[in-house]
Amino acid sequence: MNRPRLLSLDAFRGFTIASMFLVNNPGDWGHLYPPLEHAAWSGWTFTDCIFPYFLFIVGVSLHISLHQKLMAGYAQLQLLRQTAKRALWIFLIGLTLNLVPSFDFQSVRIPGVLQRIALCTLLAAPILIYCDWKWQAIWAGILFTVYSILMLAVSVPDVDGIWARAALEPGRDAGAWLDRLLLDGHLWKRAKTWDPEGVLSSLPAVCSVIFGAWAGRWLSSRQDAATKTAWFFVEGMACLAIGVVLDSLFMPINKSLWTPSYSIFMTGWALISFACFYWLLDGNPSALLKKSMAKLCHPFVMYGMNALFLFTLSGLIAKMLGFIHVDQADGTKPSLQALIYAPIKALPMNAVNASLLYAILFNLLMLLIAWAMWKKRWFVKV
C-alpha cells in the first residue's frame, strides 16, 4: 500500500517553482534586486539555490517512488525502463521548449534545465535501483572524482587555441571544451562557447539527485518526525560547512560549473529548507498548526502538483510575450511583453520595484492557472 502523499514535498516543490517564476520573469533584466539574479560567476545568491532544489526534490521523489514499487514487487529492470522512459519525455519537452519559436534544428540549444533533470534522472536511476546506500556513496565519490580530475588535471584548449589546465573561467574550463567538442553550435546563445547545463557538469549534478534520494530514504525510515527533522537540520548544516571548506581549499562554489562544493553546499540549503516544510506540514504534532500551515502553503501545493506542466507553460508564455510584436501608430513594433510592462514601468516607483512587480504579476498569472487546474483536478504527469 502506498504511503500518504507528503504535503511538505509538494509544497517545497511548489515553493521552488514559484521562486523560479519570480527570478525568470522580471519586467526588465537590467533592473533586478541582487538576490534575484545569478552570481556573475563563482559565489551564490538565492537564485542559485533554485536548480539544486529541483534536483534534490527529484532525488527525494525518485527514492520514494522506487522504494514503493520495489516493495510492491516490481522488477528492477522494469523500474529502470519506466524511469528511462519518463526521463526521455522530460528531455524531449525541454528540447521542444528550446525550439520555440523558430524551430531551427541547426542551431537549437540542446542542453537546458529540463534536459539536465532528465539526464540526471537517467544516470541516477540505476545507482538508486541496483545499489545500497554504501555503493551509492561510492558512486557519488566516483562522479565527483572523475569530474574533479578532468577539471583540474587535464589541459584543454580554449576557443582561441590556448591550452590551459584548471582554468575555471567562462569558456576555458574542461567542461566548456567538451561542450564545444560534442555540441558546437547547439550551446547557450548568450555564451556560445560553453553551456551552464553542459555535459561534464552533469556528473556532480547527478550527485545532487543522489543526496536527495538519501533524504528520501531517511523520510521512509521508521524514525519519528522530530528525529527526522532534527537530523535534516544537522546534516544540512554539515553540508554547508563542507561546501564552504571546499570552496576555500578545493574548487569554488559555482553554479555554471556545478562544482562539488556547489553541489554539497546547495544540498545543505535544500535539507534545511525542506526540513522547515516537513516539520510545519507533516511532522509537527500540533494538528492546529499543521492545518494552519496547510492553508498558508496551499498555493505552493497547487504549484507543486503540476510543476512540470507549469514550468513548461511559463516558458512558452514568456517566449510568446517576447517574440510577438504589435504594430503601433508611430511605426514602432514593441514586443507584447514591452507593451504589458509599459504601464507598470510608468507607475511612481523605482525601476527595480517596477521590474519586481511585473515578476510578481506573472507569478500570480501562473498561480491562477494552477488554481484552475487544481479545482478541475487536472494533474499532468509524464
Side-chain angles (χ1 to χ4, degrees):
M1 181 180 295
N2 290 342
R3 295 189 180 192
R5 192 177 182 98
L6 278 172
L7 193 64
S8 54
L9 189 58
D10 285 326
F12 186 41
R13 186 187 295 111
F15 166 80
T16 304
I17 199 166
S19 300
M20 187 208 71
F21 293 154
L22 190 68
V23 304
N24 279 5
N25 299 280
D28 179 1
W29 285 101
H31 293 91
L32 301 172
Y33 281 104
L36 300 183
E37 57 182 331
H38 289 291
W41 186 241
S42 293
W44 65 282
T45 69
F46 168 75
T47 300
D48 294 308
C49 296
I50 294 173
F51 200 175
Y53 280 15
F54 275 126
L55 291 186
F56 176 86
I57 293 165
V58 167
V60 175
S61 302
L62 197 55
H63 171 84
I64 293 173
S65 174
L66 292 174
H67 179 71
Q68 290 178 347
K69 289 179 179 179
L70 285 171
M71 293 299 98
Y74 281 69
Q76 291 175 318
L77 185 58
Q78 181 184 9
L79 290 181
L80 188 59
R81 287 172 177 168
Q82 288 179 355
T83 307
K85 182 179 179 181
R86 185 172 187 271
L88 177 61
W89 274 112
I90 293 173
F91 187 94
L92 291 176
I93 291 170
L95 186 61
T96 302
L97 194 59
N98 284 358
L99 282 165
V100 175
S102 62
F103 286 89
D104 182 2
F105 287 89
Q106 292 186 336
S107 63
V108 63
R109 181 192 178 200
I110 293 177
V113 171
L114 291 181
Q115 293 90 314
R116 168 158 286 181
I117 290 174
L119 181 59
C120 289
T121 300
L122 185 65
L123 294 176
I127 297 174
L128 300 180
I129 291 172
Y130 290 103
C131 301
D132 62 18
W133 72 270
K134 293 180 181 178
W135 273 101
Q136 290 170 12
I138 292 171
W139 272 110
I142 290 172
L143 293 173
F144 277 153
T145 301
V146 170
Y147 170 86
S148 299
I149 290 173
L150 292 175
M151 290 292 284
L152 299 177
V154 177
S155 296
V156 296
D158 63 14
V159 290
D160 298 318
I162 300 173
W163 288 73
R165 182 176 59 195
L168 305 182
E169 301 169 7
R172 299 194 64 210
D173 62 276
W177 168 79
L178 187 61
D179 289 343
R180 291 192 296 272
L181 180 68
L182 300 177
L183 301 170
D184 189 32
H186 297 279
L187 301 173
W188 188 40
K189 287 182 172 55
R190 292 186 187 178
K192 297 182 181 179
T193 61
W194 60 278
D195 199 289
E197 277 77 57
V199 178
L200 185 57
S201 58
S202 294
L203 297 184
V206 173
C207 297
S208 296
V209 176
I210 294 173
F211 296 153
W214 289 351
R217 184 175 182 270
W218 181 237
L219 277 174
S220 301
S221 72
R222 295 183 180 181
Q223 296 291 334
D224 61 88
T227 301
K228 291 177 182 178
T229 304
W231 276 105
F232 279 142
F233 276 109
V234 170
E235 291 161 358
M237 293 298 293
C239 285
L240 292 180
I242 293 170
V244 169
V245 171
L246 291 177
D247 174 65
S248 301
L249 302 179
F250 183 55
M251 296 175 74
I253 292 172
N254 187 298
K255 186 261 180 191
S256 294
L257 301 179
W258 211 285
T259 53
S261 57
Y262 174 77
S263 177
I264 294 171
F265 184 79
M266 288 303 168
T267 296
W269 280 123
L271 284 164
I272 292 170
S273 300
F274 176 67
C276 295
F277 280 97
Y278 176 69
W279 179 250
L280 292 173
L281 292 172
D282 289 311
N284 197 293
S286 170
L288 179 60
L289 179 59
K290 285 198 288 188
K291 184 177 180 180
S292 300
M293 292 306 303
K295 289 181 179 179
L296 184 64
C297 292
H298 188 60
F300 292 147
V301 174
M302 291 190 294
Y303 270 146
M305 294 291 284
N306 273 304
L308 178 59
F309 175 83
L310 294 171
F311 180 103
T312 306
L313 181 63
S314 71
L316 289 173
I317 291 175
K319 288 196 170 197
M320 289 174 59
L321 292 175
F323 75 71
I324 295 176
H325 290 256
V326 182
D327 292 321
Q328 299 296 295
D330 60 2
T332 60
K333 294 183 64 174
S335 68
L336 191 55
Q337 190 271 347
L339 284 176
I340 295 172
Y341 182 51
I344 299 173
K345 189 176 180 181
L347 292 173
M349 63 176 67
N350 63 43
V352 175
N353 287 336
S355 182
L356 177 59
L357 177 58
Y358 178 90
I360 292 172
L361 292 174
F362 187 96
N363 222 322
L364 291 176
L365 170 64
M366 298 309 300
L367 180 58
L368 179 62
I369 296 171
W371 173 81
M373 295 181 72
W374 174 270
K375 292 290 287 186
K376 294 288 186 179
R377 313 305 292 176
W378 292 345
F379 302 116
V380 182
K381 300 182 184 299
V382 296

